[in-house]
Amino acid sequence: MQKSFLLGVSVGESFAEYALVSDSKPVAQKRVYLSRENLKQSLQQFVTENADNKPQSVFVSLRLPKKLLDYNLSGAVAHITTDGFEHWLDVCEKSETLTNKDLLFSVHERVLADGKVDVPLKLEDLEAIAAKLQMMDCKKVCLHFLHSSTNPVHLKQAQEFLSNKGLEVFVPEKTDNPHEVTRWNKNALNATISGVFSERKEEILKALEGVVAEKDIHFLTSSGKLFSEDKNQHIGSLFSASTALGLELGAKDGADILYLGLESFHLISANTWSSSWQSAWGTVEVPHLQSKELGIQPTLGIALNSFGRFDFASHQEGWEPGPMFLGRGQKPSLLDLWAENAKLAKLQGLEDRFSAQGIQRFKNSLFALSKISQTRDSDLGHLTKEMQSLSLQRLAMEAYLQRQTKKLIVAGPLASVFANAFKKDPHTTVHAEDFSESQAVALCGFKALQETL
């Protein structure tokens, strides 16, 4: 009997993973560092290298950098609301704003809570707004009408009218959620990232052209379901990989998952669902498996605390330009402490990236900090071991205090590097193999596909 193959693709902020899966087991896997390798070309290369194992279906998790949710980076979107609600961006608690205030408009219309039309929508009001948007060269607009989920008559009229004017129109997803603001927040963020999401999606489709039919390429939502053209699901992709990991690794055993990825350390509650995401832009309606980023992170900066002692900073250095051991970074971070660890050096995506010059710069940086610190012992070997020990202690403590189940499964590319943090915990299992996000995405996606047949 001929084997069937699935291809899982998990695209993160700085890394992408590909996994060819058969009978729930990985046949081939690859991880690429996106600042050094092109997404489209690396995926094409992976498929070519495994041409004998052609996938029948492809499942994709596409997680965009959260910084791109900032309209200053991704482009401002116009918002049209019911008259009197044009300042909802200000009255709802947010530390970040969703768009430029010059792009906030309102129309005189009203649908009551029971769905009865109280004030009919006048298309002349939209005509004036559309003319202003054309003058401002704004191509995208969000519609946020009160009680439109109960009766969408005005929403549909406005959507058709503005679409005919050549604008890309975004409307809130129709759900049972009675909270307008969480739906509006989701709609606004989906609109903000729609262009970048489409570009990334197109790269993946182009890479798989001639290998898999487009109808067999599925994108995973935050709830573990599939979508292809639904613009309402873009923001949910931030959580699709973590949901897949929770469902595939922890749900069966009733265990929480501590995923130690290269980009982030996060704790996934495999049996606890959350209906929303508390973002910097406000509460967003995104159903997903509960996931929490730990305070300790792989690229957390190293600095002196208020007592002049070595400690971890509150900010992450990230992978652009990355840890100092890669040769481009200028500031020391947690992973630099393991720069000479053989397990880290062998990780896919990093194995040929280590720079002897970068490692020496990290040591010089640590030595310079020791000279202005209150630490008496300035021996670099001792300082490194002390900071390694501190990071392991914090990792173990956070995982213990924040997990919701007695059992804990530790997985991810850095699980082997940080395994010593959990050796004394009898209820914790460190996954022996590198169970990748892409493998989880393939397995979770296939189950979701089977449910639709």
Side-chain angles (χ1 to χ4, degrees):
M1 182 178 178
Q2 188 176 8
K3 280 189 175 183
S4 61
F5 297 91
L6 309 173
L7 175 59
V9 178
S10 179
V11 182
E13 296 187 13
S14 301
F15 291 88
E17 293 180 350
Y18 317 129
L20 200 60
V21 178
S22 180
D23 296 329
S24 300
K25 300 292 184 183
V27 176
Q29 296 187 90
K30 185 176 183 178
R31 181 182 299 112
V32 296
Y33 184 23
L34 292 176
S35 72
R36 304 290 183 90
E37 296 186 64
N38 177 274
L39 174 61
K40 176 186 172 183
Q41 291 176 354
S42 62
L43 180 54
Q44 281 179 328
Q45 183 181 0
F46 179 77
V47 171
T48 301
E49 290 171 351
N50 296 278
D52 292 338
N53 302 322
K54 185 178 178 180
Q56 279 69 50
S57 300
V58 180
F59 304 96
V60 183
S61 166
L62 182 50
R63 184 175 69 250
L64 297 175
K66 288 182 182 177
K67 64 183 180 183
L68 294 180
L69 297 176
D70 185 344
Y71 74 88
N72 291 303
L73 295 176
S74 298
V77 179
H79 290 227
I80 303 176
T81 67
T82 301
D83 191 27
F85 289 85
E86 58 268 29
H87 298 298
W88 69 278
L89 291 169
D90 298 323
V91 298
C92 302
E93 295 181 5
K94 308 171 191 291
S95 58
E96 300 285 348
T97 186
L98 285 163
T99 194
N100 189 320
K101 291 185 179 180
D102 293 336
L103 290 173
L104 298 179
F105 303 93
S106 64
V107 290
H108 192 53
E109 66 83 37
R110 181 58 64 94
V111 172
L112 301 180
D114 61 2
K116 180 181 177 182
V117 175
D118 185 44
V119 179
L121 173 68
K122 296 179 180 179
L123 295 183
E124 306 92 81
D125 294 343
L126 291 174
E127 183 76 58
I129 295 173
K132 288 181 181 179
L133 294 180
Q134 288 174 350
M135 289 176 59
M136 300 170 78
D137 198 30
C138 180
K139 305 295 186 184
K140 296 190 287 188
V141 59
C142 290
L143 297 179
H144 296 142
F145 292 167
L146 197 64
H147 302 137
S148 61
S149 59
T150 304
N151 182 357
V153 57
H154 291 169
L155 196 71
K156 289 180 178 178
Q157 289 174 1
Q159 184 178 14
E160 182 181 2
F161 179 85
L162 294 170
S163 294
N164 290 337
K165 293 290 184 179
L167 295 166
E168 186 178 6
V169 184
F170 294 79
V171 298
E173 183 180 13
K174 183 174 176 56
T175 67
D176 296 329
N177 178 17
H179 303 291
E180 299 276 19
V181 171
T182 63
R183 297 170 58 248
W184 292 2
N185 283 339
K186 179 180 181 180
N187 189 43
L189 290 176
N190 276 326
T192 300
I193 63 171
S194 64
V196 185
F197 191 96
S198 297
E199 288 173 9
R200 278 294 203 196
K201 178 180 176 182
E202 190 62 27
E203 281 188 85
I204 293 170
L205 296 179
K206 290 282 187 183
L208 297 171
E209 202 169 30
V211 179
V212 183
E214 189 171 329
K215 66 180 180 63
D216 295 320
I217 301 174
H218 311 276
F219 289 75
L220 206 61
T221 71
S222 61
S223 56
K225 306 302 181 184
L226 304 177
F227 77 98
S228 55
E229 300 298 333
D230 191 351
K231 293 186 291 188
N232 287 310
Q233 303 301 331
H234 292 177
I235 192 68
S237 294
L238 291 173
F239 300 95
S240 55
S242 61
T243 293
L245 283 166
L247 293 175
E248 293 306 315
L249 265 182
K252 181 180 178 182
D253 297 324
D256 281 2
I257 307 299
L258 176 60
Y259 193 76
L260 303 180
L262 288 168
E263 294 181 5
S264 73
F265 296 163
H266 53 278
L267 192 63
I268 306 165
S269 299
N271 294 302
T272 305
W273 288 86
S274 178
S275 61
S276 60
W277 169 42
Q278 301 299 322
S279 79
W281 296 268
T283 305
V284 183
E285 182 190 14
V286 181
H288 63 283
L289 274 184
Q290 199 170 96
S291 175
K292 180 176 177 59
E293 280 196 357
L294 301 186
I296 193 80
Q297 289 294 323
T299 62
L300 203 61
I302 296 174
L304 300 179
N305 59 26
S306 56
F307 298 102
R309 308 284 296 184
F310 275 87
D311 204 344
F312 293 109
S314 58
H315 64 278
Q316 298 182 49
E317 299 299 337
W319 286 92
E320 302 297 335
M324 294 183 76
F325 67 72
L326 293 179
R328 297 190 301 157
Q330 301 298 318
K331 297 179 181 179
S333 63
L334 185 147
L335 272 186
D336 284 311
L337 297 167
W338 274 268
E340 296 179 319
N341 181 286
K343 292 178 180 177
L344 181 65
K346 291 178 181 178
L347 281 184
Q348 264 198 352
L350 294 180
E351 68 269 33
D352 56 347
R353 305 294 184 193
F354 281 68
S355 162
Q357 186 179 8
I359 294 173
Q360 186 57 52
R361 276 212 315 270
F362 165 69
K363 292 179 178 179
N364 294 343
S365 177
L366 210 60
F367 182 74
L369 275 176
S370 73
K371 289 301 182 182
I372 59 172
S373 73
Q374 297 298 316
T375 303
R376 293 181 180 179
D377 187 355
S378 60
D379 181 82
L380 290 181
H382 294 167
L383 283 174
T384 300
K385 287 182 179 179
E386 182 181 325
M387 291 299 290
Q388 285 179 338
S389 177
L390 177 61
S391 61
L392 292 174
Q393 289 172 24
R394 281 190 57 178
L395 184 60
M397 184 59 67
E398 285 193 57
Y400 178 77
L401 292 175
Q402 297 189 40
R403 72 199 204 202
Q404 297 187 19
T405 61
K406 200 171 185 179
K407 290 182 180 179
L408 180 70
I409 297 174
V410 181
L414 292 175
S416 60
V417 178
F418 293 94
N420 284 342
F422 308 95
K423 63 182 179 182
K424 293 183 179 179
D425 186 347
H427 304 294
T428 296
T429 303
V430 178
H431 215 277
E433 299 176 1
D434 181 0
F435 190 93
S436 65
E437 287 185 346
S438 52
Q439 182 181 349
V441 166
L443 297 176
C444 181
F446 182 69
K447 290 177 182 177
L449 180 62
Q450 293 297 104
E451 291 175 2
T452 64
L453 299 179

